[in-house]
Amino acid sequence: ETGVTQTPRHLVMGMTNKKSLKCEQHLGHNAMYWYKQSAKKPLELMFVYSLEERVENNSVPSRFSPECPNSSHLFLHLHTLQPEDSALYLCASSQDVGDGLYEQYFGPGTRLTVT
Amino acid sequence: QQPVQSPQAVILREGEDAVINCSSSKALYSVHWYRQKHGEAPVFLMILLKGGEQKGHDKISASFNEKKQQSSLYLTASQLSYSGTYFCGTEKADNQGGKLIFGQGTELSVKP
């Protein structure tokens, strides 16, 4: 595997379910990100991790719970979601954070539908 | 504060040029440009740092005017492969690091 991979690619879940999204980067990067992309809306940053430490939580509801066990893996745990949480969830990684120097590499995303 | 991109959409014939603008009301440290094709992940194009620099590769270039808090992406002699949605992402001058705020995107369609 190369680059940034995400599983599953598609997920349908009920409002009472608990599920997790997985992201893995094979680039040796130190920083990882979760973004939400809804139709007709810009990319919204959710969380930023640098060396497994959360450095940004962009006012995301607690029904989204991130986990970064090591610098290569990032999870997004989901529980009691709402229909408006249906969106494409993108994971990204970069060499580091800070100073505006680092390009981000995105995974293909997980298309989430909440019923 | 979300940057504003203009135009929202543009249709070109192959070989034509286009300019996409990205403006912010806040002082900026850097501007990132990405392209996302339908159903695919965003792909990095370039980063511009404050200092008014310009960058480019192939027939795509960009400029960053920090005084105007604006960046422009120039696509010259467009090709069919340029079709997609272009996003600018801005990082504020006082940013803690890693927090890009993206514009709403500009949808570019290149027709034969």
Side-chain angles (χ1 to χ4, degrees):
Chain A
E1 293 278 16
T2 58
V4 181
T5 58
Q6 290 186 243
T7 54
R9 294 292 309 275
H10 300 271
L11 178 63
V12 179
M13 60 185 288
M15 291 168 61
T16 57
N17 290 159
K18 288 185 181 181
K19 296 285 185 184
S20 296
L21 309 184
K22 179 183 176 183
C23 174
E24 184 173 0
Q25 58 98 358
H26 310 267
L27 300 167
H29 289 168
N30 293 324
M32 296 187 77
Y33 310 77
W34 278 117
Y35 287 90
K36 177 183 178 183
Q37 187 175 36
S38 305
K40 308 294 183 186
K41 285 190 173 183
L43 282 160
E44 298 173 59
L45 178 67
M46 300 175 74
F47 302 103
V48 181
Y49 275 83
S50 176
L51 294 170
E52 301 122 62
E53 183 179 333
R54 192 189 309 179
V55 297
E56 180 70 37
N57 176 349
N58 206 24
S59 302
V60 178
S62 59
R63 57 186 183 270
F64 295 92
S65 174
E67 178 190 2
C68 188
N70 55 62
S71 60
S72 297
H73 293 86
L74 186 64
F75 295 89
L76 188 63
H77 303 299
L78 317 169
H79 64 97
T80 58
L81 294 191
Q82 305 297 312
E84 60 265 27
D85 296 323
S86 297
L88 181 67
Y89 288 84
L90 289 161
C91 173
S93 71
S94 64
Q95 182 61 52
D96 241 308
V97 296
D99 300 327
L101 295 173
Y102 304 106
E103 64 264 35
Q104 297 183 19
Y105 294 80
F106 285 82
T110 295
R111 174 69 62 187
L112 174 68
T113 304
V114 181
T115 60
Chain B
Q1 200 79 11
Q2 180 190 340
V4 177
Q5 289 183 231
S6 62
Q8 290 191 15
V10 58
I11 299 174
L12 299 175
R13 291 288 180 190
E14 231 178 332
E16 291 181 337
D17 302 339
V19 180
I20 300 172
N21 297 305
C22 175
S23 298
S24 173
S25 59
K26 301 284 187 181
L28 298 176
Y29 184 83
S30 69
V31 179
H32 298 219
W33 284 98
Y34 291 81
R35 176 173 63 209
Q36 185 177 27
K37 293 181 181 286
H38 183 69
E40 298 181 11
V43 173
F44 169 76
L45 293 176
M46 62 189 79
I47 293 174
L48 299 105
L49 301 178
K50 67 176 183 178
E53 67 168 348
Q54 286 193 309
K55 274 194 174 181
H57 61 84
D58 199 12
K59 295 187 175 72
I60 299 177
S61 62
S63 63
F64 178 22
N65 187 322
E66 65 182 282
K67 286 186 180 177
K68 290 186 178 179
Q69 294 160 190
Q70 178 176 318
S71 177
S72 296
L73 187 71
Y74 306 94
L75 299 108
T76 307
S78 58
Q79 305 167 18
L80 295 176
S81 61
Y82 287 4
S83 293
T85 302
Y86 289 77
F87 294 97
C88 67
T90 58
E91 201 164 2
K92 293 190 298 185
D94 61 349
N95 186 46
Q96 297 297 316
K99 185 174 179 179
L100 280 181
I101 301 174
F102 284 91
Q104 80 279 17
T106 295
E107 192 169 347
L108 178 76
S109 297
V110 181
K111 308 288 186 185

